[in-house]
Amino acid sequence: QVQLVESGGDLVQAGGSLRLSCKASGRIFIINNMGWYRQAPGKERELVASWTSGGTTNYADSVKGRFTISRDNAKNTVYLEMNSLKPEDTAVYYCYLRDLHYGRSYWGQGTQVTVSS
């Protein structure tokens, strides 16, 4: 069983920055993908950024150039650095880990990011 704990969500004004963290613990298979989804009220859940076991990173078009995902394998932690935040970035952000060996996915509890005008 894998557990994910997120932190870093906050209220911030437009143009500001936040850094989200997600720490994984438990029985973690080495070959896995980690990343971040977000969901705003009334909208579909959106993949924001991902980092695969092979080291490939991917970003949603809406956050390219503003958000950066990084991963510390020694600490089993993934980060999301968010810069130049916009009100439309307001959402609950969820960390995930996808175990590629067993095909299981794990989710954090979510952390609220609110960007004011």
Side-chain angles (χ1 to χ4, degrees), residues 36-85:
W36 298 87
Y37 281 82
R38 69 183 181 187
Q39 188 166 30
K43 303 209 125 188
E44 299 291 324
R45 184 168 293 191
E46 174 190 27
L47 178 62
V48 177
S50 64
W51 191 330
T52 71
S53 61
T56 301
T57 58
N58 294 282
Y59 297 92
D61 289 340
S62 59
V63 307
K64 283 181 179 176
R66 299 189 297 119
F67 291 9
T68 303
I69 188 171
S70 60
R71 183 170 177 171
D72 187 336
N73 288 327
K75 296 181 178 180
N76 291 318
T77 301
V78 65
Y79 306 92
L80 186 67
E81 182 73 33
M82 304 184 294
N83 299 310
S84 301
L85 283 163

Side-chain angles (χ1 to χ4, degrees), residues 80-101:
L80 186 67
E81 182 73 33
M82 304 184 294
N83 299 310
S84 301
L85 283 163
K86 305 174 181 179
E88 51 263 43
D89 294 319
T90 296
V92 178
Y93 285 71
Y94 298 91
C95 173
Y96 75 88
L97 183 151
R98 184 163 294 115
D99 183 332
L100 300 181
H101 181 73

Side-chain angles (χ1 to χ4, degrees), residues 1-5 23-28 76:
Q1 183 84 327
V2 175
Q3 294 179 332
L4 304 176
V5 179
K23 177 71 168 63
S25 61
R27 299 176 68 83
I28 304 169
N76 291 318

